[in-house]
Amino acid sequence: MPQDIEFHLPFPSSVSRDLEAARQRNLGWVRQMGLVGEGRSLEWFASWDMPLLAAYGFPYATGPALDLCVDAMAFFFVFDDQYDGPLGQDPARAAAVSQQLIDIVHGATPPPGSDACSVAFADLWARCVDGAHPGWVARTAHEWEYYFATQAHEAIGRLRGTPADMDNLVLEHTQECTRDEAIEAAFREVDQRVERFREQARQVPAMCHQLALTVPQRAAVTTYVEVMGFWMSGYHAWQTQTRRYTSAPRIIPHTGPGYFDEVLGA
């Protein structure tokens, strides 16, 4: 979606008061993990302002809690970019790389000499599960495994010239409409999804009552719904201003991979 398009997202927007300090801590972490090199790589990564995205999405988080959110965002985007090169065209290698990361959520420790993504994800996973409920750990491990496993599937799709998800195709191509018509259709889709979310959110208190949740449990559910609203408004605010999207065509050569440093390997 063009960066100058503003969707109407009627949700509150707030930013963690620990944002500035989190920016510095995150730069230290990505360098320590080896996710980002020096010079132009570090400058390019810093211009994305991943801490701002996390601070929008988790405005109540500060200190180590915010750092975990920021570092997770940093890992995710750096990892995902690695498939904008040869790796994204090699299903067998993508599957092998993914298995290394899947093994981590099942208790494996990256051996000496492992790539930076494996080292960084192992650090993130250890921090995530520290003190977490076993049920949450199991659900989250499943979500990460599913995400990593899709990388090989998407690589196959690239070789076939077919998208992994038809819903993610650009409206201009799928519906053969003009740019203005495609943007108008996107507006309608967003409005419909927003209204669906708001309607479901209005049903949450009654659902909590039917489930006989305790007061603390209801408060947790209410906060969760509120944070989903923060994420929608916050991500839109971030993605319309981050240089990751506004400056990429000028920074990353279109003839090469979508990254400066290769930090994922098998």
Side-chain angles (χ1 to χ4, degrees):
M1 181 59 64
Q3 302 308 110
D4 59 344
I5 302 300
E6 288 287 342
F7 291 105
H8 175 58
L9 299 171
F11 304 111
S13 179
S14 186
V15 177
S16 169
R17 67 178 186 274
D18 199 23
L19 171 60
E20 290 302 326
R23 284 182 169 129
Q24 297 306 312
R25 296 193 297 265
N26 177 248
L27 287 179
W29 183 79
V30 296
R31 296 169 74 182
Q32 178 186 357
M33 295 294 111
L35 279 178
V36 179
E38 299 296 332
R40 63 176 185 173
S41 295
L42 187 62
E43 181 181 354
W44 174 230
F45 170 80
S47 75
W48 300 354
D49 205 355
M50 301 311 307
L52 179 60
L53 173 58
Y56 269 134
F58 300 99
Y60 302 138
T62 58
L66 181 60
D67 290 345
L68 180 56
C69 301
V70 174
D71 295 346
M73 293 294 99
F75 164 80
F76 175 82
F77 280 89
V78 171
F79 171 82
D80 192 68
D81 282 353
Q82 294 293 296
Y83 290 87
D84 290 337
L87 179 60
Q89 303 283 335
D90 188 338
R93 185 172 168 231
V97 166
S98 296
Q99 190 59 54
Q100 293 176 174
L101 295 164
I102 290 170
D103 289 344
I104 291 172
V105 302
H106 294 298
T109 300
S114 293
D115 61 80
C117 278
S118 295
V119 174
F121 183 66
D123 178 79
L124 282 173
W125 183 245
R127 290 154 63 191
C128 282
V129 302
D130 183 25
H133 189 281
W136 182 90
V137 173
R139 292 194 303 274
T140 306
H142 171 76
E143 293 298 328
W144 276 114
E145 180 169 357
Y146 177 83
Y147 167 69
F148 290 135
T150 62
Q151 302 305 322
H153 175 66
E154 292 185 3
I156 292 173
R158 293 186 187 97
L159 293 180
R160 291 176 175 172
T162 57
D165 183 353
M166 288 298 292
D167 290 337
N168 289 333
L169 280 176
V170 178
L171 288 166
E172 290 176 71
H173 296 163
T174 59
Q175 299 182 8
E176 297 183 356
C177 54
T178 67
R179 180 179 184 275
D180 287 344
E181 290 171 338
I183 292 174
E184 202 51 46
F187 273 119
R188 290 194 299 270
E189 179 70 17
V190 170
D191 288 344
Q192 291 170 2
R193 292 182 179 236
V194 165
E195 185 50 41
R196 181 184 177 193
F197 174 83
R198 297 178 75 184
E199 174 57 32
Q200 292 179 331
R202 286 191 286 268
Q203 298 174 19
V204 168
M207 179 194 70
C208 291
H209 176 73
Q210 291 171 332
L211 294 174
L213 299 187
T214 64
V215 172
Q217 288 172 331
R218 294 186 189 197
V221 172
T222 299
T223 299
Y224 189 85
V225 173
E226 184 181 28
V227 167
M228 284 194 284
F230 282 136
W231 259 113
M232 284 184 272
S233 61
Y235 185 86
H236 183 53
W238 172 81
Q239 68 94 22
T240 56
Q241 61 185 284
T242 176
R243 286 187 62 199
R244 173 180 169 83
Y245 300 132
T246 62
S247 303
R250 299 193 302 273
I251 303 298
I252 300 294
H254 71 278
T255 55
Y259 53 80
F260 287 129
D261 303 314
E262 187 169 324
V263 293
L264 180 61

